[in-house]
């Protein structure tokens, strides 16, 4: 589904991603781990179009996407979340979810004058879809609440709901477990497994090794911008190079 070949991203004299190559098979949950500063988020940003690659290639579903703007990559079915959720704080949970689908007729000003029935009909469909997605992630009861009033874990569920509204093929998740209480973390993990069973593919940055071990196979290990190894969670946790680079030389 995703193929990254010899990917390099430099910022001045800093090579944040250094010749990384890997492939993601469809219908898998792949983990991406590594110490702080390893280049994980830069890799995500480059795949998702926020950064233009210095060199190398990225293809998604057989199409080259390296250097494409984020909105084109989004429309192709590759979407991402952020470590710190970014909802529209003064809009409701339902409104945040309804914003996500692309190509809504009401986005064109003249349609609101000359094609009002079509705009209203589509808005009703999007609202119903949003309610279904919010019900799936457990936020339907909070649909009228302002997004700024949600807890950190609830905002991550809203972030997941927004990307689901885009009907993605591949989701890049940036630390879904960071700052989330154990109850909501269990909910997030359950929802990811359900979505995986529906055929959605995931690439997940995460520091919580228990989450990685339960959800992900394979696991990619990044260190100093380079792909150190990839393998099963068990193989990764016992590899001496990982123990040195990621776990400080001690077994997890």
């Amino acid at each position: 589904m995703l193929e990254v070949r010899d990917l390099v991203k430099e910022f001045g004299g800093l090579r944040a991603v250094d010749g990384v190559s890997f492939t993601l098979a469809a219908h898998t949950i792949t983990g991406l781990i590594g110490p702080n500063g390893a280049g994980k988020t830069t890799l995500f940003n480059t795949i998702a179009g926020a950064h233009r690659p210095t060199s190398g290639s990225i293809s998604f579903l057989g199409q080259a996407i390296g250097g494409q703007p984020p909105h084109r990559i989004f429309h192709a079915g590759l979407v991402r979340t952020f470590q710190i959720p970014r909802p529209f704080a003064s809009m409701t949970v339902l409104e945040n979810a309804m914003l996500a689908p692309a190509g809504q007729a009401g986005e064109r000003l003249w349609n609101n004058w000359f094609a009002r029935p079509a705009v209203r009909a589509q808005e009703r469909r999007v609202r119903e879809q949003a309610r279904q997605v919010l019900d799936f992630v457990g936020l339907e009861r909070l649909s009228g609440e302002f997004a700024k009033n949600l807890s950190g874990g609830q905002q991550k569920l809203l972030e997941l709901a927004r990307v689901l509204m885009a009907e993605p093929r591949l989701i890049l998740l940036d630390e879904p477990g960071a700052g989330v209480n154990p109850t909501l973390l269990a909910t997030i993990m359950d929802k990811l497994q359900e979505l995986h069973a529906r055929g959605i593919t995931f690439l997940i940055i995460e520091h919580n090794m228990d989450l990685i071990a339960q959800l992900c196979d394979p696991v990619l290990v990044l260190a100093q911008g380079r792909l150190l190894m990839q393998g099963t969670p068990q193989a990764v946790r016992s590899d001496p190079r990982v123990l040195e680079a990621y776990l400080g030389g001690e077994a997890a």
Side-chain angles (χ1 to χ4, degrees):
M1 176 168 280
L2 182 73
E3 184 175 15
V4 175
R5 282 285 171 261
D6 301 319
L7 188 66
V8 173
K9 178 58 188 174
E10 296 178 340
F11 299 96
L14 173 65
R15 182 167 285 200
V17 176
D18 189 3
V20 170
S21 297
F22 65 89
T23 60
L24 294 188
H27 313 310
T28 57
I29 304 179
T30 301
L32 177 62
I33 68 172
N36 290 331
K40 302 183 298 296
T41 297
T42 300
L43 177 61
F44 260 32
N45 287 338
T46 307
I47 293 172
H51 298 325
R52 179 177 290 274
T54 302
S55 63
S57 65
I58 308 167
S59 64
F60 175 61
L61 298 174
Q63 300 297 315
I65 61 169
Q68 293 290 318
H71 69 275
R72 290 189 180 176
I73 295 173
F74 173 88
H75 293 320
L78 192 162
V79 301
R80 67 159 301 176
T81 67
F82 295 87
Q83 180 181 351
I84 300 174
R86 302 178 181 183
F88 293 95
S90 296
M91 298 178 69
T92 68
V93 169
L94 180 62
E95 289 167 342
N96 268 271
M98 290 178 65
L99 276 175
Q104 297 187 53
E107 295 173 358
R108 298 181 181 274
L109 181 61
W110 52 85
N111 283 342
N112 294 282
W113 292 94
F114 303 113
R116 190 172 299 177
V119 170
R120 288 178 174 173
Q122 185 183 47
E123 185 174 336
R124 285 193 296 269
R125 292 193 298 270
V126 171
R127 181 179 289 107
E128 178 58 27
Q129 180 189 4
R131 290 195 180 280
Q132 291 175 3
V133 170
L134 291 175
D135 182 60
F136 172 76
V137 301
L139 292 179
E140 204 280 333
R141 64 184 178 82
L142 297 172
S143 60
E145 187 66 68
F146 289 122
K148 64 184 177 183
N149 295 331
L150 299 183
S151 70
Q154 290 169 336
Q155 288 193 4
K156 294 213 170 183
L157 287 169
L158 176 56
E159 188 106 325
L160 180 59
R162 292 200 300 176
V163 300
L164 291 178
M165 288 292 293
E167 300 180 350
R169 301 285 300 277
L170 170 61
I171 302 177
L172 311 183
L173 291 178
D174 195 345
E175 297 201 38
V180 177
N181 69 54
T183 300
L184 279 178
L185 179 59
T187 298
I188 291 171
M189 291 174 66
D190 286 344
K191 298 309 177 186
L192 296 182
Q193 288 174 320
E194 288 186 50
L195 293 169
H196 172 240
R198 295 183 185 182
I200 296 179
T201 303
F202 291 91
L203 177 60
I204 304 176
I205 292 176
E206 187 53 67
H207 286 290
N208 185 325
M209 291 300 294
D210 290 333
L211 184 152
I212 289 290
Q214 291 183 51
L215 287 182
C216 301
D217 188 7
V219 178
L220 310 176
V221 185
L222 208 62
Q224 297 181 336
R226 298 179 179 179
L227 186 63
L228 187 64
M229 72 162 293
Q230 63 184 70
T232 66
Q234 295 76 16
V236 165
R237 294 182 71 155
S238 61
D239 191 282
R241 296 168 296 173
V242 179
L243 298 178
E244 178 64 30
Y246 183 70
L247 302 174
E250 298 180 1

